[in-house]
Every structure is written in structure tokens, then in C-alpha cells.
């Protein structure tokens, strides 16, 4: 007999709740087809960025961007627009939902907390990591490295047993 798991509905809530002041918007998980479309769009942008190309934010025209947000926010998009939520906040909610769909709740929460500033999502650069390691634990390694014992430096004995440089 095969393994039997708990019902998936009992394991997690597949909604995302975004607070706007006293109002909370509950974004439902998209259909599998819509989720795959969002995944395809975002993976294209990720491949461009990984290849060193700047992501062209004009890849989507206004209608395509609205369609992407509609895929991510579902029926909540119309609710937010009818409630008079500003475009920048609707867009932020839509992109947060996109991160939720593609990468899960932890990444979505991290994006939500950035207020839309992508530089706050980036891992620290080398200089920041160095500064953190210098001020980190405060325990520097003061033990000197042992010198090479390979015999490639210093004077070598010649066949006659004499040491010296040039003959």
C-alpha cells in the first residue's frame, strides 16, 4: 500500500492577505493555468537579468501590465480600483502577489516590506559583506600563516654540496 498524506486543504491556506490601513484584501491563489502564465512571464525577466541585461520595464505595455496584475490579484484588482486605491499601491500589491505566486510567502513579504524599492531586496554587495564581517563577531584571526615548505625559495645546494646562487 502506498503512503497516504493529509488533505492539502488542511495543510495551508492558499490566500494572501494584504493590509491597507483598516482594510484587508484577501488575494486568492490563481488557477493553475494563470499561475503558470505568471511563472513564464517572471522567468523570462529573471533570465534576462541573470544574463546581465537590464530588465526592460517597457516589455509590457499598459494593457499587458494590467493583465499581469489581474492574473496576480484576481477579483481583488477590481475591488481595489473601486475602493479608490492609488495606482502605485495597486501595483505594489500586484507585484507582491506575483512574488507570492512565483516564490512563496517569505519572498512576497520581503518585497511588501520594501515599499517597492528593489534595491532593498538585493543581497548585500561585497563591500557591505566585508564591513559586516569586520564588525561581526569581533574575533580576528591573529595566527600567522605558516610559510611554504616546498623548497622553492631560499638558497639551494648544488651538486657539489655548496650553496649559492649563480655559478
Amino acid at each position: 500500500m502506498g503512503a497516504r498524506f493529509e488533505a492539502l486543504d488542511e495543510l495551508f491556506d492558499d490566500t494572501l492577505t494584504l493590509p491597507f490601513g483598516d482594510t484587508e484584501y484577501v488575494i486568492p491563489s490563481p488557477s493553475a493555468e494563470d499561475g503558470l502564465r505568471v511563472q513564464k512571464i517572471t522567468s523570462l525577466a529573471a533570465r534576462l537579468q541573470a544574463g546581465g541585461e537590464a530588465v526592460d520595464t517597457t516589455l509590457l505595455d499598459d494593457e499587458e501590465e494590467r493583465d499581469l496584475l489581474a492574473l496576480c490579484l484576481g477579483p481583488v484588482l477590481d475591488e481595489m480600483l473601486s475602493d479608490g486605491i492609488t495606482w502605485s499601491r495597486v501595483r505594489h500589491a500586484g507585484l507582491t502577489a506575483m512574488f507570492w505566486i512565483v516564490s512563496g510567502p517569505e519572498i512576497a513579504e520581503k518585497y511588501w516590506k520594501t515599499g517597492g524599492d528593489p534595491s532593498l531586496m538585493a543581497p548585500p554587495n561585497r563591500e557591505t559583506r566585508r564591513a559586516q564581517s569586520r564588525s561581526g563577531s569581533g574575533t580576528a584571526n591573529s595566527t600567522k600563516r605558516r610559510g611554504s615548505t616546498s623548497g622553492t625559495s631560499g638558497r639551494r645546494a648544488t651538486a657539489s654540496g655548496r650553496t649559492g646562487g649563480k655559478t
Side-chain angles (χ1 to χ4, degrees):
M1 178 172 207
R4 183 171 178 89
F5 295 108
E6 283 182 66
L8 194 56
D9 293 343
E10 296 173 19
L11 296 177
F12 67 91
D13 179 10
D14 57 349
T15 61
L16 175 67
T17 302
L18 300 177
F20 281 75
D22 294 335
T23 304
E24 290 186 335
Y25 293 95
V26 179
I27 298 25
S29 181
S31 69
E33 182 180 327
D34 288 347
L36 289 171
R37 288 172 58 197
V38 172
Q39 182 72 40
K40 183 177 180 181
I41 292 167
T42 56
S43 66
L44 172 62
R47 279 194 306 257
L48 287 172
Q49 192 169 34
E53 295 182 41
V55 176
D56 183 0
T57 56
T58 61
L59 286 175
L60 301 177
D61 63 25
D62 290 345
E63 186 176 331
E64 291 168 327
E65 185 174 13
R66 189 179 196 293
D67 289 345
L68 176 62
L69 293 180
L71 287 173
C72 296
L73 294 172
V76 174
L77 174 61
D78 291 333
E79 186 181 342
M80 292 176 88
L81 293 174
S82 70
D83 287 349
I85 303 295
T86 63
W87 171 246
S88 61
R89 291 172 181 246
V90 168
R91 187 172 188 272
H92 186 64
L95 292 175
T96 300
M98 181 189 73
F99 280 112
W100 170 63
I101 292 165
V102 173
S103 301
E106 293 83 17
I107 300 297
E109 182 178 24
K110 188 174 180 180
Y111 179 78
W112 177 258
K113 289 179 177 181
T114 68
D117 183 351
S119 69
L120 297 176
M121 292 273 298
N125 64 23
R126 185 183 322 172
E127 189 59 37
T128 303
R129 288 190 307 269
R130 285 181 183 160
Q132 288 172 344
S133 68
R134 282 189 294 255
S135 65
S137 64
T139 58
N141 184 358
S142 61
T143 306
K144 292 186 178 183
R145 286 188 168 177
R146 185 175 174 182
S148 171
T149 58
S150 67
T152 58
S153 62
R155 298 181 152 209
R156 286 191 256 171
T158 62
S160 66
R162 293 179 296 157
T163 59
K166 296 182 182 179
T167 54

